[in-house]
Amino acid sequence: MMRVWLCPRHEQLYQISMLLTLMSLSTLPSLNANTINRTLKLTMQPHFIAATSRIRCAFANPCRRTPTSSYLARHQIRTTSFQTKPIQRSTKYQHNLHASSNGEDKVESTYHTIPTEQTILPGCTTYDALKKSLSVLKQHNAPEPEESALYLLSHAIDLSWETGYRQLRDVLQLPFLPHNVSSVNGVSSVHNLALQQLTDEQTTLFASFIERRKKYEPIQYIIGKWDFHQLSGLSIRRPMLCPRPETEELVEILLAEIEELIHNRGKKDKGSNGRIRILDVGAGTGAIGIAIAHQLPHHVQVLALDVLPEAVELSNENAQQFLSKFVDSDVGDVSSVYKAVLCPAKEFTAKSQQYPMNFDLVVSNPPYIPSSDMPSLSTDILDYESVEALCGGDDGLDVIRDIVQRLPEWMPRKDEEKRYCWMEVDDSHPSLLESWLAPGSSESKRWSVEYCERRNDFCGRSRFVKLRVIE
């Protein structure tokens, strides 16, 4: 791993250049004051350098989890990391891949000599626990070993979610374990934490975390939460997908779209009757819909669909955690702002549901990975996350087709106001959708839906598409 340190002057120039890049790639078609302010907040923080470069590192893998902007903001990361280690692939798909390509069942195995692991014993210091766990994770080629060790130890010894990672990072950066604590220059808190001894219970818990991470289990599942957009500590459980950083970009696109709707309607201060109704297809953890409602709690009403009962339960739990503070208990509950229900997209119709089909905006992060691309995903994804939530069929468009067919029913045009759908898709899909639903084409007229535009993510991939319901 190589680390690049930037001086303050170069850092500032880099931030300004990235701001201009972001504005040109992502927000130029719909610039407004709120979009610019949010972009400024992201790019003018020193940790943004690490965010952009690490997201670029994810270019080779569309499902690789990289630190989100909120995570980087919380931990004030100032270094840029370039991973050169190859990603461990899942063996359950490798077997099928070899069988189909060679015509015979053959699994190629690579054996590595693992050095004798260091043992984390009760009574060891946090400094020693970090060093030993980091060594173990590196020996097993665990993804992002330093980040893993810091997060898992912070959770094991019950440090603050907001500050624990940063505190342990300061401990890890100490050149050696101090034996005489000094308060000079205000560093005693770091030394005290470095010398803190783990209890038997903490040692057992931390060791179990490291064992799970050695097997490539995602950090999010081990600790049960993660940051997403402005949501700090969003609950996460298997089999729901861990929220990705590019999906935060989708939220930003949607917020700009909603604010434009509010402005055009002139109902920003007219209370609940002026709410923008949003349908979120594929709730998962609830990250997208809750993040939107968290930013505009008095102006939107989100209804989310999912096919998994566990996802419906979890997303409603997260909504209660983050949105209850915006709801007057004497008037209503969180469901007036966000509600998740159990229903597949193709079965969500006016005949089968009691919800009015007059949504203003549809958003979805559906299963979109083509089945042929599934073997290329890393072990921490394929062995732990739901394949059904990842794979979208032969071309990745199975659920997307269901959404397109239902859009006119979900968003009937009763006035001059346009109805849009934003989706996160595979980078092969924008061209396919543009060809299928080209404005004025017979297919576009058949389904009453037309392709509008595409947007790139931070990696430069065509990741987001915009569709419009037509008459």
Side-chain angles (χ1 to χ4, degrees):
M1 179 181 293
M2 177 177 65
R3 297 187 181 278
V4 179
W5 295 80
L6 300 182
C7 68
R9 180 184 295 274
H10 290 164
E11 187 176 79
Q12 185 177 22
L13 291 174
Y14 184 88
Q15 292 164 359
I16 293 173
S17 67
M18 288 308 304
L19 169 61
L20 295 175
T21 301
L22 279 175
M23 292 172 64
S24 64
L25 289 178
S26 304
T27 62
L28 190 57
S30 57
L31 283 179
N32 56 53
N34 289 312
T35 301
I36 293 174
N37 286 337
R38 281 195 299 269
T39 305
L40 280 168
K41 287 180 180 179
L42 174 63
T43 59
M44 296 310 291
Q45 298 184 34
H47 56 266
F48 182 73
I49 300 169
T52 54
S53 58
R54 293 198 70 167
I55 290 174
R56 287 195 190 97
C57 289
F59 187 87
N61 189 339
C63 282
R64 181 177 172 84
R65 280 172 297 276
T66 56
T68 63
S69 56
S70 55
Y71 151 74
L72 289 159
R74 178 155 57 83
H75 302 310
Q76 300 178 358
I77 292 180
R78 302 177 61 88
T79 63
T80 300
S81 301
F82 298 88
Q83 295 284 355
T84 58
K85 188 187 304 178
I87 298 173
Q88 179 72 26
R89 303 300 180 189
S90 175
T91 56
K92 68 180 181 181
Y93 271 88
Q94 284 178 338
H95 180 274
N96 293 334
L97 184 63
H98 283 292
S100 60
S101 61
N102 300 332
E104 58 182 12
D105 290 340
K106 179 182 179 182
V107 178
E108 296 181 359
S109 301
T110 302
Y111 297 92
H112 302 277
T113 301
I114 304 298
T116 303
E117 294 182 1
Q118 303 186 54
T119 304
I120 302 172
L121 299 174
C124 75
T125 64
T126 57
Y127 182 87
D128 287 336
L130 280 175
K131 291 292 186 180
K132 291 179 180 179
S133 61
L134 185 56
S135 175
V136 169
L137 293 174
K138 287 181 177 179
Q139 289 172 16
H140 286 268
N141 294 322
E144 299 175 324
E146 182 174 316
E147 181 186 56
S148 302
L150 293 171
Y151 261 116
L152 297 178
L153 182 57
S154 175
H155 192 61
I157 64 177
D158 201 25
L159 294 181
S160 167
W161 174 251
E162 286 74 21
T163 62
Y165 177 98
R166 187 166 64 250
Q167 290 175 300
L168 288 178
R169 184 165 56 87
D170 292 339
V171 169
L172 189 60
Q173 291 174 349
L174 290 172
F176 55 87
L177 178 63
H179 296 286
N180 296 314
V181 177
S182 171
S183 61
V184 178
N185 297 325
V187 297
S188 61
S189 60
V190 177
H191 288 177
N192 278 326
L193 181 58
L195 290 168
Q196 179 179 315
Q197 294 182 333
L198 274 64
T199 65
D200 292 356
E201 182 180 354
Q202 291 172 341
T203 304
T204 301
L205 183 60
F206 184 49
S208 69
F209 289 167
I210 296 300
E211 283 298 313
R212 293 168 66 181
R213 188 57 176 158
K214 280 165 50 179
K215 299 175 183 177
Y216 298 94
E217 183 173 353
I219 304 173
Q220 292 91 331
Y221 289 152
I222 298 175
I223 62 180
K225 56 184 175 181
W226 204 247
D227 290 345
F228 180 82
H229 201 253
Q230 301 299 319
L231 308 176
S232 178
L234 183 76
S235 294
I236 297 174
R237 294 196 293 267
R238 296 181 66 183
M240 281 64 73
L241 299 187
C242 303
R244 267 66 173 179
E246 59 266 30
T247 308
E248 294 188 17
E249 299 177 67
L250 178 61
V251 170
E252 286 295 312
I253 292 172
L254 291 165
L255 287 173
E257 194 82 51
I258 295 168
E259 287 165 356
E260 185 176 350
L261 275 173
I262 294 173
H263 175 75
N264 291 340
R265 288 185 177 186
K267 295 181 178 180
K268 190 169 184 178
D269 299 315
K270 292 189 177 182
S272 59
N273 292 332
R275 288 184 184 271
I276 305 296
R277 298 193 70 235
I278 302 169
L279 180 64
D280 178 8
V281 182
T285 61
I288 295 176
I290 296 172
I292 293 171
H294 187 262
Q295 292 298 106
L296 299 168
H298 304 298
H299 306 300
V300 301
Q301 184 180 58
V302 181
L303 181 66
L305 310 179
D306 208 287
V307 297
L308 293 177
E310 301 95 329
V312 172
E313 180 182 2
L314 178 61
S315 54
N316 282 326
E317 286 178 12
N318 279 325
Q320 185 67 35
Q321 176 186 350
F322 290 100
L323 302 179
S324 59
K325 61 185 177 183
F326 300 116
V327 179
D328 187 347
S329 58
D330 295 332
V331 178
D333 55 22
V334 171
S335 63
S336 63
V337 180
Y338 180 95
K339 183 177 182 180
V341 297
L342 185 68
C343 186
K346 60 183 177 182
E347 296 178 11
F348 187 70
T349 66
K351 295 181 180 179
S352 63
Q353 299 293 327
Q354 71 274 27
Y355 304 100
M357 298 292 164
N358 60 342
F359 295 96
D360 301 294
L361 188 65
V362 173
V363 59
S364 182
N365 181 11
Y368 59 70
I369 299 177
S371 55
S372 59
D373 291 344
M374 291 295 291
S376 67
L377 300 182
S378 55
T379 300
D380 60 334
I381 295 172
L382 280 177
D383 285 1
Y384 292 95
E385 299 192 78
S386 169
V387 173
E388 292 75 14
L390 291 166
C391 185
D394 290 343
D395 58 4
L397 290 170
D398 286 359
V399 178
I400 293 174
R401 289 191 185 93
D402 292 336
I403 292 173
V404 168
Q405 294 172 15
R406 291 297 180 194
L407 284 178
E409 182 177 3
W410 293 342
M411 299 188 292
R413 290 195 60 190
K414 298 180 180 180
D415 49 39
E416 295 301 318
E417 193 170 77
K418 297 178 180 179
R419 301 288 193 264
Y420 294 114
C421 169
W422 277 99
M423 287 188 287
E424 180 178 323
V425 296
D426 184 76
D427 59 359
S428 66
H429 290 163
S431 296
L432 295 176
L433 290 169
E434 184 177 12
S435 176
W436 175 33
L437 302 171
S441 67
S442 58
E443 284 294 292
S444 175
K445 293 176 181 178
R446 176 189 177 189
W447 300 111
S448 296
V449 177
E450 68 178 19
Y451 172 90
C452 292
E453 64 173 294
R454 69 181 73 185
R455 299 276 185 91
N456 291 347
D457 62 14
F458 276 116
C459 301
R461 289 176 176 266
S462 296
R463 182 66 66 195
F464 313 109
V465 294
K466 182 180 183 180
L467 307 177
R468 180 168 71 93
V469 174
I470 60 177
E471 295 180 352

